[in-house]
Amino acid sequence: MAGRLGRAGGAVLLAALWGTGPLVGLTARAEAAQAGQTRESLSERDLLLAQLALFDATAIAAGNLALEKSANPQVRQFALRLVEDHRRHLQDLKAWGGSSSMDRVVADLTQPRVTAGMGGSGSKDGGLLPGPSLSMQRADARLVQAVAYAQQDLEVLREAQGRDFDEAFLKRVVDDQEGGLRLVKQARATYRNDRAFTLMLDRTGNLADRHLQRAQGLKESFE
């Protein structure tokens, strides 16, 4: 937890713990206000595009882990297709409506960070942290939380080995593709009068459904 607080959050926490005086309280409130000013508030449409980019980036990261760690030919073949399809979809998504928030999402899922001297939710020896990077701290709070969850899921997957990894990878793909389908369903209802946008969502839904079916089939072969 300490690794994710940031400067303003740390000041507020220390004031609460130690009962410091008015000066510290004013400083904490000023820093918190400044942090709030730098945080973006995305429109619902931009947030959706960033969430779709996160959907792609998570699948790409998971697929690359499978190509690195799995010895199962079927899992590797599926992982390669997963990476290729989601990379293509991500490029189409960026061409359709790219944004800095989408770029932050992709960077945070593909560029692990090292932080020294951590406690709390960080590793004891200052290793990889699943919390938001400095760039993501400027993004919409809803997006920051979604990225943090995705990073935590990938950290769990990264720790698995052998058959356990294959099973965890396929389960991760099933869960993520189901989440993608739910996101598309909700967005279709919201943007049903926007023909161009719904066509893009249809392609996303078809992609998610195809990978979901394949992951479920492979997953059943392990049971």
Side-chain angles (χ1 to χ4, degrees):
M1 182 68 180
R4 301 185 194 174
L5 284 173
R7 189 178 174 194
V12 172
L13 179 59
L14 287 174
L17 286 175
W18 298 105
T20 48
L23 181 59
V24 173
L26 289 173
T27 302
R29 286 194 294 273
E31 290 180 348
Q34 185 178 12
Q37 289 172 358
T38 61
R39 174 156 293 182
E40 297 176 8
S41 180
L42 297 179
S43 69
E44 292 303 316
R45 192 185 184 97
D46 286 342
L47 177 63
L48 173 61
L49 288 171
Q51 289 171 325
L52 290 172
L54 176 59
F55 168 62
D56 284 326
T58 303
I60 292 167
N64 282 331
L65 277 175
L67 291 173
E68 175 187 331
K69 295 170 69 74
S70 179
N72 185 298
Q74 289 184 305
V75 170
R76 292 181 60 83
Q77 183 180 27
F78 171 60
L80 181 60
R81 175 56 61 87
L82 185 75
V83 170
E84 290 176 345
D85 286 353
H86 277 276
R87 277 180 176 164
R88 190 178 303 113
H89 182 266
L90 180 60
Q91 291 305 313
D92 291 344
L93 190 63
K94 287 183 176 181
W96 197 91
S99 70
S100 59
S101 294
M102 292 170 63
D103 292 338
R104 290 187 194 121
V105 163
V106 175
D108 261 44
L109 265 292
T110 57
Q111 298 175 10
R113 296 170 308 286
V114 177
T115 303
M118 288 305 308
S121 60
S123 66
K124 291 185 294 184
D125 57 356
L128 294 176
L129 291 176
S133 68
L134 182 60
S135 64
M136 277 305 301
Q137 290 172 16
R138 294 174 58 88
D140 189 295
R142 296 165 294 180
L143 191 56
V144 172
Q145 184 181 56
V147 169
Y149 286 150
Q151 289 172 325
Q152 289 169 0
D153 291 336
L154 289 170
E155 282 300 305
V156 172
L157 187 60
R158 193 173 283 111
E159 294 298 318
Q161 302 293 333
R163 182 187 175 95
D164 289 342
F165 171 84
D166 291 337
E167 293 179 346
F169 164 69
L170 294 172
K171 183 180 185 304
R172 181 75 268 138
V173 173
V174 167
D175 291 347
D176 288 343
Q177 301 299 313
E178 287 178 341
L181 286 172
R182 287 193 297 272
L183 183 62
V184 167
K185 182 178 180 180
Q186 294 168 359
R188 277 178 179 152
T190 302
Y191 298 100
R192 59 184 178 274
N193 295 325
D194 188 332
R195 181 60 178 164
F197 203 61
T198 54
L199 283 174
M200 186 271 292
L201 291 172
D202 286 342
R203 290 195 294 271
T204 304
N206 290 336
L207 173 73
D209 186 64
R210 185 165 66 249
H211 289 311
L212 174 62
Q213 298 303 320
R214 180 55 176 158
Q216 286 177 329
L218 285 172
K219 185 172 177 290
E220 289 172 1
S221 70
F222 281 84
E223 296 174 352

